[in-house]
Amino acid sequence: MFKTTVTPRFGDVDGLKHVNNIVPAIWFEQARNPLFEIFVPDFDLSYEKWNLIMVRTEFDFVGQMYLGMDVEIRSYISKIGNSSFTMYQEAWQNGKLAVKGKAVAVHYDFVNQKSVPIPDSIREKLMEHFIEGID
Amino acid sequence: MFKTTVTPRFGDVDGLKHVNNIVPAIWFEQARNPLFEIFVPDFDLSYEKWNLIMVRTEFDFVGQMYLGMDVEIRSYISKIGNSSFTMYQEAWQNGKLAVKGKAVAVHYDFVNQKSVPIPDSIREKLMEHFIEGID
Amino acid sequence: MFKTTVTPRFGDVDGLKHVNNIVPAIWFEQARNPLFEIFVPDFDLSYEKWNLIMVRTEFDFVGQMYLGMDVEIRSYISKIGNSSFTMYQEAWQNGKLAVKGKAVAVHYDFVNQKSVPIPDSIREKLMEHFIEGID
Amino acid sequence: MFKTTVTPRFGDVDGLKHVNNIVPAIWFEQARNPLFEIFVPDFDLSYEKWNLIMVRTEFDFVGQMYLGMDVEIRSYISKIGNSSFTMYQEAWQNGKLAVKGKAVAVHYDFVNQKSVPIPDSIREKLMEHFIEGID
């Protein structure tokens, strides 16, 4: 599991004075950096080097978040297939779970535009962050 | 069905030169305005008047989108329950479907913090945008 | 002058129920598309083709904007130098000016990382959108 | 001076593989939280309690920022007037200055919609973060 701390900003809060539902999507993306780093250690964004494509995201909003307190994002791997894998993420504020999300990415060859099996070396590193019983 | 046209901006495109996966979430939120208007005609954001809360969103990225061409967002109602309903949305660019998404909202009383049945008058208006066979 | 119409979305409005001050920056960037198109007609984002770099932006917030009504962005050229030029932009909602902004861009060679004089053909097209007395 | 550390996310980087020019505006807003806290310690967003309004922001992009490395935001007070004050902010990545910005805010009474002098107690706290020679 990776922990990432983020700080709500003034404009993240919408007219209902809660963090807007788009914001956790942004925080979760940021919190995926350590997972991306397993696949592309130098964050090289060329088609030759970058090898991940997002195919699905989902978010369950189970609580409200507010301005004035940091939020902890917890990121896990919940499923590993042949070429795809699922990240499971949670946003916690003030000891309460506010958002649960999943993101499915595919190990992808951008030059030839096709999915590629996840190598064992990467699979092992992903498994260090595995959480049981989610997907 | 509601149609909303949006224009990708320079910063919507990420390092892979495709529209970043957060952006459709933003466009879909914007495209929900006409649906929100059915519930809160004057867009009054007070707890006394606003009566919708988002409980879930999901996005399937089935194609890529690019800078330089407008995107059409199509918004439907795919399910209506007692107090909750599901919006189904698609993003089309250059004649191709790029993203499919669902958003579940609950008709909600913010003052008393509880869900409220959807009145028949609103139910009828939602039904005008109903799409069969999605949810 | 270019006119671009944008629609405030729910999450653009912050806790004070006004459009947050980051949002006009986003709208102005989107409204610069037709100006970018003069420099890079096919929006090719490669270092060989893209030839503009932003060096400065500024925003004066002179009025409030709200959810529920479209906003018109008016974009002009207010100054053309040897290799740089200034865009002047305004956001209008409900007949009232809400934001005035300037953005300075440089005609730039990304491969050799140096500024490049603006060719006369482009200069002429920019002049069609010139506004007197701003810069 | 306040120091705030932020992490570029995948989608913050635009098609030119640099952090898009909207992003520092977002980071600077987040980094203003400790300054806002001086004015509204509990971050209460009601018109009765919140007492700041943004009237101007400006950004000079003097260097590029990239994915894969944290960014330090340094926030200062550069000017204090009767009811308004100026924040000066810098974004540093990898030991290099990338963005300099100013934001002018007014101490404001939202109920009566008028500016209000900054009290001495707040003025003293702001002075702790004062930087000479900027504005």
Side-chain angles (χ1 to χ4, degrees):
Chain A
M1 189 243 284
F2 290 107
K3 287 190 183 183
T4 306
T5 300
V6 294
T7 303
R9 67 177 179 91
F10 188 82
D12 286 335
V13 169
D14 63 27
L16 299 177
K17 295 176 187 169
H18 305 143
V19 169
N20 182 253
N21 70 82
I22 303 295
V23 179
I26 293 170
W27 290 340
F28 283 0
E29 192 188 64
Q30 180 191 315
R32 283 176 214 132
N33 276 2
L35 288 166
F36 292 167
E37 206 174 1
I38 292 176
F39 285 86
V40 190
D42 59 358
F43 288 102
D44 186 320
L45 294 168
S46 67
Y47 289 145
E48 287 74 22
K49 294 290 201 66
W50 194 265
N51 54 25
L52 285 175
I53 197 165
M54 226 56 152
V55 296
R56 181 176 163 81
T57 55
E58 53 177 88
F59 307 90
D60 283 298
F61 306 102
V62 298
Q64 298 295 326
M65 293 186 286
Y66 306 90
L67 190 62
M69 230 177 300
D70 280 356
V71 172
E72 189 181 282
I73 310 299
R74 301 178 188 170
S75 302
Y76 308 82
I77 300 295
S78 63
K79 191 177 181 178
I80 310 181
N82 183 44
S83 61
S84 76
F85 65 102
T86 303
M87 293 161 277
Y88 170 70
Q89 298 180 290
E90 294 177 343
W92 290 78
Q93 191 184 46
N94 202 20
K96 285 180 191 148
L97 177 62
V99 188
K100 296 188 289 186
K102 283 185 207 157
V104 183
V106 170
H107 189 220
Y108 194 76
D109 176 342
F110 277 93
V111 176
N112 297 301
Q113 296 201 43
K114 57 173 192 180
S115 62
V116 180
I118 298 170
D120 285 344
S121 61
I122 286 181
R123 199 173 289 267
E124 272 169 40
K125 283 181 193 153
L126 293 178
M127 281 305 294
E128 293 172 21
H129 306 285
F130 196 77
I131 182 170
E132 290 283 348
I134 292 294
D135 216 349
Chain B
M1 190 243 287
F2 289 108
K3 285 190 184 184
T4 306
T5 300
V6 293
T7 303
R9 67 176 178 92
F10 188 83
D12 286 335
V13 169
D14 63 27
L16 299 177
K17 295 173 187 169
H18 306 143
V19 168
N20 183 252
N21 69 82
I22 304 295
V23 178
I26 293 170
W27 290 340
F28 284 0
E29 193 188 62
Q30 180 192 315
R32 283 177 213 131
N33 275 3
L35 288 167
F36 292 166
E37 204 173 2
I38 293 176
F39 285 86
V40 190
D42 59 357
F43 288 102
D44 185 320
L45 294 168
S46 67
Y47 290 144
E48 288 73 22
K49 294 288 202 68
W50 194 265
N51 54 23
L52 284 176
I53 196 166
M54 226 55 154
V55 296
R56 180 176 165 82
T57 56
E58 53 178 87
F59 307 90
D60 283 297
F61 306 101
V62 299
Q64 298 296 326
M65 292 185 288
Y66 305 90
L67 189 63
M69 229 177 299
D70 279 358
V71 172
E72 188 180 282
I73 310 299
R74 302 178 187 170
S75 302
Y76 308 83
I77 299 296
S78 63
K79 192 176 180 178
I80 309 181
N82 183 42
S83 61
S84 77
F85 65 104
T86 302
M87 293 161 277
Y88 170 70
Q89 297 179 291
E90 294 177 342
W92 291 77
Q93 191 185 45
N94 201 19
K96 286 181 190 148
L97 177 62
V99 187
K100 297 188 290 184
K102 284 184 204 158
V104 183
V106 170
H107 190 219
Y108 194 77
D109 175 342
F110 277 93
V111 175
N112 297 302
Q113 296 199 41
K114 56 172 192 181
S115 62
V116 181
I118 299 170
D120 284 343
S121 61
I122 286 182
R123 198 174 290 268
E124 272 170 42
K125 284 181 193 154
L126 293 179
M127 280 306 293
E128 293 172 21
H129 306 283
F130 196 77
I131 181 170
E132 290 283 349
I134 292 292
D135 214 349
Chain C
M1 189 243 287
F2 290 108
K3 285 190 184 185
T4 305
T5 301
V6 293
T7 305
R9 67 177 178 93
F10 188 83
D12 286 335
V13 168
D14 63 27
L16 298 176
K17 295 175 187 168
H18 305 142
V19 169
N20 183 251
N21 69 82
I22 304 293
V23 179
I26 293 171
W27 291 340
F28 284 0
E29 193 190 61
Q30 180 191 315
R32 281 175 216 134
N33 275 3
L35 287 167
F36 291 166
E37 205 174 3
I38 293 176
F39 285 86
V40 190
D42 59 358
F43 287 103
D44 185 321
L45 293 168
S46 67
Y47 288 145
E48 288 73 22
K49 293 289 202 67
W50 194 267
N51 54 25
L52 284 176
I53 198 167
M54 225 56 151
V55 296
R56 182 178 163 80
T57 55
E58 53 177 89
F59 307 91
D60 283 298
F61 307 102
V62 299
Q64 298 296 325
M65 293 185 287
Y66 306 90
L67 190 62
M69 228 178 299
D70 280 356
V71 172
E72 188 180 282
I73 311 298
R74 302 179 188 171
S75 302
Y76 309 82
I77 300 295
S78 63
K79 191 177 180 178
I80 310 180
N82 183 43
S83 61
S84 76
F85 64 104
T86 302
M87 292 160 279
Y88 170 70
Q89 297 179 291
E90 294 177 343
W92 291 78
Q93 191 184 46
N94 202 20
K96 284 180 192 151
L97 177 62
V99 188
K100 296 188 289 185
K102 283 185 206 159
V104 183
V106 170
H107 190 220
Y108 193 75
D109 176 342
F110 277 93
V111 175
N112 297 302
Q113 297 199 43
K114 56 172 190 180
S115 62
V116 180
I118 299 170
D120 285 344
S121 61
I122 287 182
R123 198 174 290 267
E124 272 170 41
K125 285 180 192 154
L126 294 179
M127 281 306 293
E128 292 172 22
H129 307 283
F130 196 77
I131 182 170
E132 290 282 349
I134 292 292
D135 214 349
Chain D
M1 190 244 285
F2 291 107
K3 285 190 185 184
T4 306
T5 301
V6 294
T7 303
R9 67 177 178 93
F10 189 84
D12 285 336
V13 168
D14 63 27
L16 299 177
K17 296 174 186 168
H18 306 143
V19 169
N20 182 252
N21 70 80
I22 304 295
V23 179
I26 294 171
W27 290 341
F28 283 180
E29 191 189 63
Q30 179 191 316
R32 281 176 215 132
N33 275 3
L35 288 167
F36 292 166
E37 205 173 2
I38 293 175
F39 285 86
V40 190
D42 59 358
F43 288 103
D44 186 321
L45 294 168
S46 66
Y47 289 144
E48 287 73 21
K49 293 289 203 67
W50 194 266
N51 54 26
L52 285 175
I53 197 165
M54 225 56 149
V55 296
R56 180 177 165 80
T57 56
E58 53 177 87
F59 307 91
D60 284 297
F61 306 102
V62 299
Q64 299 295 326
M65 292 186 287
Y66 306 90
L67 189 62
M69 228 178 299
D70 280 357
V71 171
E72 189 180 282
I73 310 299
R74 302 179 187 169
S75 303
Y76 309 82
I77 300 294
S78 63
K79 191 175 179 179
I80 310 181
N82 183 43
S83 60
S84 76
F85 65 103
T86 303
M87 292 161 278
Y88 169 70
Q89 297 180 292
E90 294 176 344
W92 290 77
Q93 191 185 45
N94 201 20
K96 284 180 192 151
L97 177 61
V99 188
K100 297 187 289 185
K102 283 184 206 160
V104 183
V106 170
H107 190 220
Y108 194 76
D109 176 343
F110 278 92
V111 176
N112 298 301
Q113 296 199 44
K114 58 172 190 180
S115 62
V116 181
I118 299 170
D120 285 343
S121 61
I122 286 181
R123 197 174 290 267
E124 272 170 40
K125 284 180 192 154
L126 293 179
M127 280 305 293
E128 293 173 21
H129 306 283
F130 196 77
I131 182 171
E132 289 282 349
I134 294 290
D135 216 349

